[in-house]
Amino acid sequence: MTAAAGLSEAELHTLDDLLGRVPAPLEPLDLTALDGYLVGVLLQPRRVPVSRWWPYVVDEDGRPLPARWPETERLRDLVLRRHAELDRLIEQRNWFDPWVMAPDEDTPPTEVVQPWVLGFATACGHFPDLTEGPAADEPESVEALAQLYQHLDPDDLEDAQALLEEIETLEPPATMEEAVESLVRGSLLLADVSRPVRANRPSSPARPAGSMRPAGSGRAAGPRPPGRGGRPSAAGSGPSRKGPRRP
């Protein structure tokens, strides 16, 4: 199995379980927020070393796992494999399957994907080059970020008039497929800005049939991204926990 191989169904459940067993008082990301966080890390214009982003996977304040916790190596291996898989797909501008929860019938699509976006925003809070660097105010960056941040409460966006105006032009997703597609589209559009490639590749590939793979969350609440100019400043809450599944 290569380093960039995707996680199997059993491994996805294992990862969800390990995140849920991180010992208190640490507050790890849940499975959905973790996925958005990894994408936010990978889209930074400068490569973020594992040693810098890993601590915020296992605790919102970056506190380390206990030295003798027996599951550290297994948890780290699974997270690094998802990181490698996303890295490869983003570099190739290929569709990836965001880990979002299987929705309840009456849950709005935007609410279902919100924890993923909050995970992405957490990465941008800790590593702000993508959202506060020289290219952050370029129309291409604003357009891409709007695809993601449309799923947050507008009151949670600070000093982001251009972003809010762009969000106003978007039709809210009517289905889960549309909501998930906005996550991938926005991420790949951002990659064109922060990780340009020499070869001409489509920025927003068509979603393969049957590619949405909802995954369960290891925590009920979304992460709390640090407040930074023009970026989310308030916490959101994801839907109640469900076990991971892939249709």
Side-chain angles (χ1 to χ4, degrees):
M1 182 176 292
T2 66
L7 272 61
S8 68
E9 185 78 17
E11 288 170 328
L12 184 62
H13 279 275
T14 298
L15 176 55
D16 185 46
D17 180 64
L18 290 173
L19 289 170
R21 290 196 284 120
V22 167
L26 302 186
E27 292 289 340
L29 295 171
D30 66 34
L31 197 64
T32 301
L34 168 64
D35 204 51
Y37 176 79
L38 293 177
V39 171
V41 166
L42 286 164
L43 290 177
Q44 297 301 317
R46 291 181 293 182
R47 191 79 173 182
V48 181
V50 176
S51 61
R52 290 190 61 203
W53 62 256
W54 168 255
Y56 301 107
V57 170
V58 298
D59 183 62
E60 63 181 6
D61 294 322
R63 293 171 292 183
L65 286 163
R68 296 190 177 183
W69 193 56
E71 304 292 357
T72 298
E73 184 175 348
R74 180 60 170 154
L75 174 60
R76 186 180 174 95
D77 174 68
L78 293 172
V79 172
L80 287 176
R81 281 182 48 202
R82 177 58 171 172
H83 179 273
E85 178 190 20
L86 288 168
D87 190 22
R88 172 178 57 83
L89 293 171
I90 290 171
E91 180 63 23
Q92 297 172 351
R93 301 300 191 268
N94 286 336
W95 178 273
F96 62 89
D97 296 322
W99 289 350
V100 295
M101 297 176 66
D104 294 326
E105 184 177 349
D106 298 327
T107 305
T110 282
E111 188 175 321
V112 177
V113 302
Q114 187 180 86
W116 193 99
V117 180
L118 285 167
F120 174 90
T122 295
C124 293
H126 292 303
F127 312 108
D129 286 354
L130 177 66
T131 54
E132 296 185 17
D137 294 326
E138 294 294 327
E140 294 82 2
S141 295
V142 174
E143 176 188 355
L145 281 172
Q147 292 289 326
L148 304 178
Y149 286 164
Q150 67 173 312
H151 302 296
L152 302 181
D153 189 324
D155 292 339
D156 293 342
L157 299 175
E158 298 178 340
D159 304 325
Q161 189 59 38
L163 179 59
L164 288 168
E165 290 176 356
E166 181 66 27
I167 290 173
E168 283 293 318
T169 69
L170 302 177
E171 288 288 337
T175 65
M176 272 304 301
E177 286 75 14
E178 290 179 1
V180 168
E181 188 169 348
S182 71
L183 302 182
V184 181
R185 183 188 304 113
S187 298
L188 296 183
L189 286 172
L190 280 171
D192 285 342
V193 176
S194 66
R195 295 178 50 167
V197 293
R198 295 178 183 177
N200 292 325
R201 303 176 195 232
S203 296
S204 184
R207 182 175 66 85
S211 66
M212 194 178 89
R213 301 177 182 177
S217 164
R219 294 286 189 276
R224 296 181 179 271
R228 293 180 181 268
R231 308 301 163 223
S233 62
S237 295
S240 60
R241 174 177 175 144
K242 288 182 180 290
R245 71 174 180 86
R246 294 179 181 175

